[in-house]
Every structure is written in C-alpha cells, then in structure tokens.
Amino acid sequence: MDKTNEYLVNFKGHNFVKDVVNIEDLEKMEEFEIRDDDVFIITYPKSGTIWTQQILSLIYFEGHRNNTENISTVDRVPFLEYNIHNLDYAKMSSPRIFSSHLPYYLVPKGLKEKKTKTFYIYRNPKDVLISYFHFSNWVAIFEATDTLDQFLGKFLDGKGNCWFDHIRGWYEHRHDFNIMFLSYEDLKKDLRSSVLKICNFLEKELSEEELDAVVRQSTFENMKSDPLANYNYIINNKIGVRNNDSHFLRKGTIGDWKNHLTVEQNERFDMIFKMKMKNVPLKFIWDINEQ
Ligand code: PPS
C-alpha cells in the first residue's frame, strides 16, 4: 500500500478514497465469498452507477420484498469496496446486489466462476470527465481542482484511476466473467428497452405494470426528487460538501462536455482516446441527437 496524497490511498496500483475505504477489506477482497445469485454493477465513477443501482433495486425489491421502501439505494445496492454503513455483507439475504468501481484484477475471484451476473455500465468519457470534475469540487473528501484544464490533464494521464485502463481491462477480460456491457447513453436514449435488456440478462420477467413502474421511478426527474434514490442527504450531512449549490444528480444528459471543453482540449482528448481505445469496439455516443 502506498500513500498517494491526503485524499487518496493506493492499493495494488489503484487509488481509493481514503476516508471511505478500509484497506483490510481490500486485502480480503479476492477471497470475498460470492453467491451464484449475486449481481454486480461495475462502473468507472460517474458513469451511471446510481442509476443502475436504482433500476436493479427496483427490479429486485419493489413489490418483491417487504420493508425495503425506506432503505436508500446505496444500502440496497452497497459498494463492495466502500462499505460506508458497515453492513455485514455475509449476512445479507439473497439475492444481493453490489456495486463497485474496482478494476477487473481486484474483484473477488469467485466472479470468474461465471455464475454471478455482472453489468459493466460505461459512459462517453468526456461526459464522465465533466461530471467527475463537478463532483470532485463539490464533495469534501475528494481533491478539489482549480481548473478544468488541470483536471483534464489528470484524467488523460489517469495515474491510479485510469478511465482507459478500467474499460479496456474489463472489456479484454470479458470472457472471464458472466458480463453484460451497457452504456449510460443506451439508458438515456431508451430507458424502457434498456430495462428490458437488463431483465433478459437477469432472466427476470416483469409484468407490463412492473416494467412501467421501474421506468417511471428511474427517470432523472424522479430520482432527483427522491431522497432515497440520490446521495444528496448522505453527502450533505455525513460526508460533507464544499458548497451547497450542487446535487449528486446534476444534469443527467449526453453531451454536456460541449459546454465545457475548448476546441483545443477536445482535440487533445480525441487524440488520446483514439490511441488508447484502439481495438476496443464498444460504441460511444457523444451527443444527445446522435443515433
Ligand atoms: S458515482 O459517484 O460514481 O456513484 O456516480 P454515478 O452514479 O456513476 O454517476 C453520476 C452521474 O449519473 C447521472 N445520473 C443520471 N442521468 C440520467 N438519468 C438518471 N436517472 C440518472 N441518475 C444519475 C448523474 O446526474 C451524474 O451525471 P452528471 O453528468 O453529473 O449529471
């Protein structure tokens, strides 16, 4: 374990947020006991984690299990490596759903038995960058960055938490897992079809009404106004913020990067994207009007 800076700690080449990670959990991660009916959501930060947490928790819990209506999404679908509420994962009843930002090489090895279903949700990295920039400057446990240009430099350099390595690693090792790749933009462009694809992969059949309910409760507007479906309460009251004007669900759209990146920054991004994403044939959508 290396010391990286006052906000981060590095474990086996990957940076973790110091205030919310427990290194002992990371040390035991490889042996973490997986159940066949567990479900995992894997994301690089700011790629649609909470959205997928909400969708899966609605598919699994609403109407299917009692007494979950007052539990926040983050506790229904906890983060494997950031157990902020000290839940006893071994005692959770099945099916358990976990989310994680871990790179492929740090996840529990039981996932490689390929019984457990895993989703990899990805988002075009220019929107990830902008979302991450705002988030880091808002939440006190992250390192604030003065300018977008500095943040862009760190993002493209990617030391310790590289978007390019994360997605490439998961993509190139996809055959080791029972995994489905789905993009944030797919969810945004056609939420209903995406929920259906998710249900198919999970082998879950919902009635039309149940499907409608999942879609209705997973829209940006609904989640933004539902305190259980966004982290505003936890972040504002327990984690701490630098300003009170932001929200976890900020814009929720495709192409916000166009409002922030200069032509030069965009060209720099494109050049590195082209180089680092060679032979990764995943489709990216950069604009809300793109098909
Ligand atoms: S985190 O911190 O990694 O868990 O963040 P994550 O949840 O992955 O990403 C947050 C961004 O996802 C957007 N979001 C949504 N967009 C559209 N519809 C819905 N329902 C939705 N829910 C979350 C959220 O607004 C963040 O993106 P930005 O661009 O900052 O708005």
Side-chain angles (χ1 to χ4, degrees):
M1 183 188 46
D2 321 322
K3 293 216 176 327
T4 300
N5 67 21
E6 69 177 291
Y7 298 94
L8 300 171
V9 58
N10 191 284
F11 179 81
K12 297 191 178 168
H14 190 76
N15 287 346
F16 293 86
V17 184
K18 201 181 271 179
D19 280 4
V20 282
V21 78
N22 179 348
I23 295 295
E24 279 170 29
D25 290 346
L26 297 179
E27 278 161 354
K28 290 185 280 190
M29 191 61 76
E30 209 187 329
E31 302 305 324
F32 181 84
E33 211 172 327
I34 296 293
R35 302 179 193 155
D36 290 356
D37 59 359
D38 285 343
V39 179
F40 277 76
I41 300 167
I42 307 283
T43 53
Y44 184 88
K46 314 320 290 179
S47 301
T49 324
I50 199 166
W51 199 358
T52 323
Q53 288 172 310
Q54 168 81 346
I55 292 170
L56 290 201
S57 83
L58 289 166
I59 291 173
Y60 275 94
F61 299 117
E62 294 296 331
H64 301 276
R65 229 195 257 187
N66 293 330
N67 304 323
T68 48
E69 56 275 13
N70 297 323
I71 300 178
S72 68
T73 305
V74 67
D75 287 334
R76 292 181 190 186
V77 186
F79 267 91
L80 192 60
E81 66 276 22
Y82 294 124
N83 186 356
I84 54 174
H85 290 149
N86 290 318
L87 304 177
D88 187 347
Y89 293 159
K91 292 210 172 109
M92 278 169 66
S93 51
S94 292
R96 302 178 301 182
I97 314 172
F98 292 109
S99 25
S100 175
H101 294 321
L102 287 172
Y104 77 95
Y105 64 89
L106 288 181
V107 293
K109 63 174 188 244
L111 278 180
K112 293 198 173 177
E113 285 168 24
K114 297 201 216 176
K115 296 199 176 97
T116 306
K117 294 186 165 76
T118 302
F119 289 92
Y120 187 93
I121 309 296
Y122 65 100
R123 183 181 191 185
N124 91 59
K126 293 179 190 171
D127 282 331
V128 170
L129 166 87
I130 300 303
S131 180
Y132 215 167
F133 175 65
H134 285 103
F135 186 64
S136 304
N137 281 335
W138 176 47
V139 180
I141 57 170
F142 290 95
E143 185 178 16
T145 317
D146 287 344
T147 66
L148 178 58
D149 204 58
Q150 288 169 340
F151 197 82
L152 172 67
K154 284 191 199 167
F155 188 89
L156 293 177
D157 172 55
K159 221 180 263 162
N161 188 14
C162 179
W163 180 88
F164 299 98
D165 291 348
H166 196 275
I167 190 163
R168 175 178 280 281
W170 275 100
Y171 186 76
E172 288 181 346
H173 291 83
R174 65 194 181 284
H175 300 302
D176 296 342
F177 302 95
N178 181 6
I179 194 165
M180 175 180 175
F181 283 74
L182 190 68
S183 75
Y184 174 101
E185 292 79 12
D186 282 333
L187 291 168
K188 185 76 195 173
K189 289 201 155 267
D190 192 344
L191 185 54
R192 195 184 167 87
S193 303
S194 301
V195 173
L196 269 175
K197 277 189 209 158
I198 291 172
C199 287
N200 281 342
F201 183 64
L202 294 172
E203 298 169 89
K204 281 241 158 220
E205 233 177 275
L206 299 188
S207 66
E208 285 295 305
E209 294 75 46
E210 285 170 333
L211 184 63
D212 287 343
V214 173
V215 173
R216 198 174 50 245
Q217 292 175 77
S218 307
T219 60
F220 183 78
E221 293 68 30
N222 185 78
M223 286 177 59
K224 190 159 180 152
S225 62
D226 175 357
L228 296 177
N230 62 60
Y231 290 118
N232 281 354
Y233 177 80
I234 295 174
I235 289 177
N236 278 305
N237 296 287
K238 300 201 171 152
I239 294 183
V241 293
R242 294 197 179 87
N243 68 68
N244 291 312
D245 308 331
S246 289
H247 294 276
F248 189 86
L249 267 72
R250 193 184 55 93
K251 283 210 176 162
T253 193
I254 307 171
D256 186 38
W257 62 271
K258 293 186 179 176
N259 300 317
H260 293 84
L261 294 186
T262 64
V263 172
E264 183 278 322
Q265 288 168 333
N266 187 37
E267 284 173 359
R268 199 168 3 136
F269 201 116
D270 284 343
M271 200 178 70
I272 294 187
F273 181 89
K274 207 169 151 198
M275 193 170 68
K276 295 205 173 173
M277 293 300 282
K278 221 180 194 168
N279 307 326
V280 178
L282 291 169
K283 180 167 167 50
F284 290 89
I285 294 184
W286 306 92
D287 185 285
I288 189 87
N289 298 314
E290 194 177 323
Q291 285 311 308

